[in-house]
Amino acid sequence: KNEVEQSPQNLTAQEGEFITINCSYSVGISALHWLQQHPGGGIVSLFMLSSGKKKHGRLIATINIQEKHSSLHITASHPRDSAVYICAVRMPYNTDKLIFGTGTRLQVFP
Amino acid sequence: GAGVSQSPSNKVTEKGKDVELRCDPISGHTALYWYRQRLGQGLEFLIYFQGNSAPDKSGLPSDRFSAERTGESVSTLTIQRTQQEDSAVYLCASSDGQFYGYTFGSGTRLTVV
């Protein structure tokens, strides 16, 4: 079993739909990251969370430390949101490695 | 520079040859990471440098892989006697170590033929 699980693995949506991507992890963490990887391979860091909720434009990320769960929401989705969204957790105790989920491939159709 | 720079962007090499990949982190970022992404698979941690501390090499898949970093600047990842299974995109990222934000480079796509 992976230490970081994402769901769904693949997601298709119509433009304008509200999208949720989930991430569950089984280890103690110091922080959780949401990353976006575009078809060309470039990776952008969207959020870093250690508690609560963060919002940036149409993107919202939440984390529940007790339940070891995080969600990434996209409101009013657009075809340019099509990408792979990756959840990654940072281990505590003086190590800086990230453990990655396998990603969620999102396609938004016009 | 403004971002993390990796070179070359693409590299095709013959099986058995050595290759060297370069990463220029964001100036002032103390932490530097190398990751690998094979086709259709997730990101794998390879090695992590933090300042002048001994690097965390726990992700290097074999002794054919090595990496160096000079101070808090450029890093090179070297793969000796390349094998076809080494074909992947090699990604470098840096962070300032304080706010835990990561910036990724655009990667080097390595193809071993």
Side-chain angles (χ1 to χ4, degrees):
Chain A
K1 188 179 188 308
N2 292 334
E3 291 166 301
V4 182
E5 297 272 358
Q6 284 186 237
S7 63
Q9 288 187 322
N10 292 282
L11 183 57
T12 58
Q14 288 295 125
E15 184 173 356
E17 286 185 5
F18 181 84
I19 287 161
T20 296
I21 300 170
N22 295 300
C23 175
S24 296
Y25 52 93
S26 58
V27 295
I29 68 170
S30 60
L32 181 145
H33 297 258
W34 281 102
L35 309 170
Q36 180 191 53
Q37 185 171 30
H38 281 279
I43 295 178
V44 174
S45 178
L46 299 174
F47 295 104
M48 188 281 295
L49 296 163
S50 53
S51 65
K53 176 180 174 178
K54 286 191 176 180
K55 184 176 188 293
H56 182 73
R58 295 180 295 104
L59 301 178
I60 303 167
T62 63
I63 189 168
N64 185 316
I65 297 294
Q66 287 73 29
E67 294 185 4
K68 293 186 166 62
H69 181 270
S70 176
S71 293
L72 176 69
H73 305 286
I74 305 174
T75 61
S77 59
H78 190 275
R80 65 174 174 267
D81 298 326
S82 298
V84 175
Y85 292 84
I86 303 168
C87 170
V89 299
R90 176 196 289 261
M91 306 298 284
Y93 311 124
N94 202 33
T95 179
D96 219 22
K97 285 190 294 192
L98 292 179
I99 299 177
F100 296 90
T102 51
T104 295
R105 184 175 300 277
L106 170 65
Q107 288 184 293
V108 182
F109 293 98
Chain B
V4 176
S5 176
Q6 289 188 246
S7 61
S9 54
N10 281 285
K11 175 74 177 177
V12 180
T13 190
E14 290 181 353
K15 179 180 171 181
K17 295 281 180 69
D18 298 352
V19 295
E20 195 172 272
L21 313 180
R22 178 186 168 106
C23 173
D24 276 285
I26 290 176
S27 178
H29 277 193
T30 57
L32 185 146
Y33 316 80
W34 283 98
Y35 298 96
R36 176 172 74 175
Q37 187 172 36
R38 288 170 162 155
L39 186 64
Q41 298 189 21
L43 286 154
E44 302 172 69
F45 167 79
L46 295 177
I47 188 169
Y48 156 56
F49 296 91
Q50 173 63 58
N52 293 319
S53 302
D56 179 348
K57 303 180 182 181
S58 60
L60 294 178
S62 78
D63 60 8
R64 296 187 294 105
F65 287 71
S66 62
E68 293 184 347
R69 187 183 187 194
T70 306
E72 294 184 354
S73 60
V74 171
S75 175
T76 54
L77 176 69
T78 302
I79 309 172
Q80 295 179 309
R81 305 181 302 282
T82 51
Q83 303 294 313
Q84 286 186 327
E85 67 260 26
D86 300 333
S87 296
V89 175
Y90 289 82
L91 287 153
C92 174
S94 70
S95 81
D96 60 11
Q98 294 185 0
F99 299 106
Y100 304 107
Y102 286 76
T103 302
F104 281 81
S106 54
T108 294
R109 183 175 300 276
L110 175 67
T111 304
V112 182
V113 296

